[in-house]
Amino acid sequence: MSTLPDAAASPFREAVVDLDAVRDNIRTLAATVAPARTMAVVKANAYGHGAVPVARAALAGGADWLGVADIFEALEVRGAGIDAPLLAWLHDPGADFAPAIDRDIDLGVSSFDQLEVIAAAAASVDRVAAVHLKLDTGLSRSGVAPEAWGRAVARAVELERDGRIRVRGVFSHLANTSSDEDARQLEAFERGLEQVASAGLDPEVRHLASTAGALRVPAARFDLVRIGIGAYGIPPFGDGTTAADLGLRPAMTLRGRVAATRRIEAGTGVSYGHTWRAERPTTLALVPLGYADGIPRQASGRAEVWIAGARRPVVGRIAMDQFVVDVGDARVETGDEVVLFGDPETGAPSADDWGDAAGTIGYEIVTRIGARVPRRYVGGE
Ligand SMILES: *Cc1c(COP(=O)(O)O)cnc(C)c1O
């Protein structure tokens, strides 16, 4: 028998992922966008939450599709025995598409060349590749440029006729810049769809919106919306809208335990560089999470955490493995719970609060939580 302690049994630090929150968030968003269908985006290990458990919870909440960035992520989902429709849209230049085609993974196509490579890969495994043609409507990242769209669509028609591909979808992605820009992109998408239709293609799903567009631009819902951040209960807007305002619940709670406390005198400097000094006698609590765990160093001296019933300030520099909190005269002991972020309705900071403190967004806060932090799943039975 192993004598090693079980890290999960002693949550020195852990990310608790509430799979019922994922399920309920998807259910809420799917009801909002109906009759459009919902794709749950589980790329980047489900934004740090765990791709396979989140995919299952999202399907339980009524997601019809799953989406990931690359085919490795898609193969992980398929490898877990999940057979829902699944799209991967961002490909390595040398990607081997054959295993993905063989496992019924739909492929986003962002260039004429990709179309050829995918068709050849389909031939090599004697399958028909299901593809979603991507038009760049103004984000200027991936997608076929509008001036090349006609040629790509014409080639797709030929390859579909030859039985190499099936154009199952047409899609694009919004820049979420302004309602004017959204409207311009929507028009560009409509024009692209007209070219697809007049070429004789009849895709099953047309999709443009991610969480922000799905909620605020109803005309962008088309047949399917791609929901990432909303599934995790984090608002996409960055304008102070809370999860509760949207009927959503944050799925991840990042927590740990106070590793030590120390009473200090006025004038005592704290952590590297003494960027903070106590103005009065106070108590410090040491939290055993640092930038190696994804806690942004930029949030040094700006973020807050929940300890002993209140939000309290992080003081001094966040280090690789630890940071310090000023708890004043509160009774705080070694082993007390610390919540870095979770559901703000409980009084804890949100992932967005940490994003504000670090000059970034809630998306990055949850996605960057490191491998040293065990994920513990609740719900989802
Ligand atoms: C990541 C991503 C999404 C999900 O976006 P959210 O803002 O998290 O909802 C949707 N579509 C594409 C193409 C993406 O890359």
Side-chain angles (χ1 to χ4, degrees), residues 184-250:
R184 261 192 295 279
Q185 283 195 253
L186 210 97
E187 276 171 40
F189 191 56
E190 302 267 17
R191 279 196 300 277
L193 289 172
E194 279 164 26
Q195 286 173 272
V196 167
S198 58
L201 295 172
D202 184 19
E204 177 186 326
V205 285
R206 301 160 302 159
H207 46 113
L208 177 61
S210 57
T211 305
L215 288 171
R216 290 216 173 140
V217 192
R221 290 174 187 159
F222 293 92
D223 304 307
L224 179 66
V225 299
R226 302 183 304 267
I227 299 291
I229 202 73
Y232 308 104
I234 297 173
F237 304 118
D239 63 358
T241 303
T242 67
D245 292 340
L246 301 171
L248 306 175
R249 220 159 75 231

Side-chain angles (χ1 to χ4, degrees), residues 41 43 47 89 134 141 173 210-211 226-230 363:
V41 178
K43 65 187 178 187
Y47 295 36
W89 54 69
K134 185 174 189 189
R141 296 194 322 196
H173 196 37
S210 57
T211 305
R226 302 183 304 267
I227 299 291
I229 202 73
Y363 287 75

Side-chain angles (χ1 to χ4, degrees), residues 135-225:
L135 173 64
D136 179 12
T137 54
L139 187 56
S140 307
R141 296 194 322 196
S142 61
V144 177
E147 56 276 14
W149 185 244
R151 179 167 166 259
V153 168
R155 183 65 183 139
V157 170
E158 288 172 7
L159 291 167
E160 190 169 278
R161 220 173 269 147
D162 294 347
R164 286 296 159 228
I165 66 166
R166 176 163 62 100
V167 179
R168 193 175 183 191
V170 174
F171 75 120
S172 186
H173 196 37
L174 293 173
N176 299 323
T177 305
S178 64
S179 44
D180 280 357
E181 183 55 29
D182 288 345
R184 261 192 295 279
Q185 283 195 253
L186 210 97
E187 276 171 40
F189 191 56
E190 302 267 17
R191 279 196 300 277
L193 289 172
E194 279 164 26
Q195 286 173 272
V196 167
S198 58
L201 295 172
D202 184 19
E204 177 186 326
V205 285
R206 301 160 302 159
H207 46 113
L208 177 61
S210 57
T211 305
L215 288 171
R216 290 216 173 140
V217 192
R221 290 174 187 159
F222 293 92
D223 304 307
L224 179 66
V225 299

Side-chain angles (χ1 to χ4, degrees), residues 26 113 155 221 265 315:
I26 287 287
D113 289 347
R155 183 65 183 139
R221 290 174 187 159
E265 297 306 319
V315 293

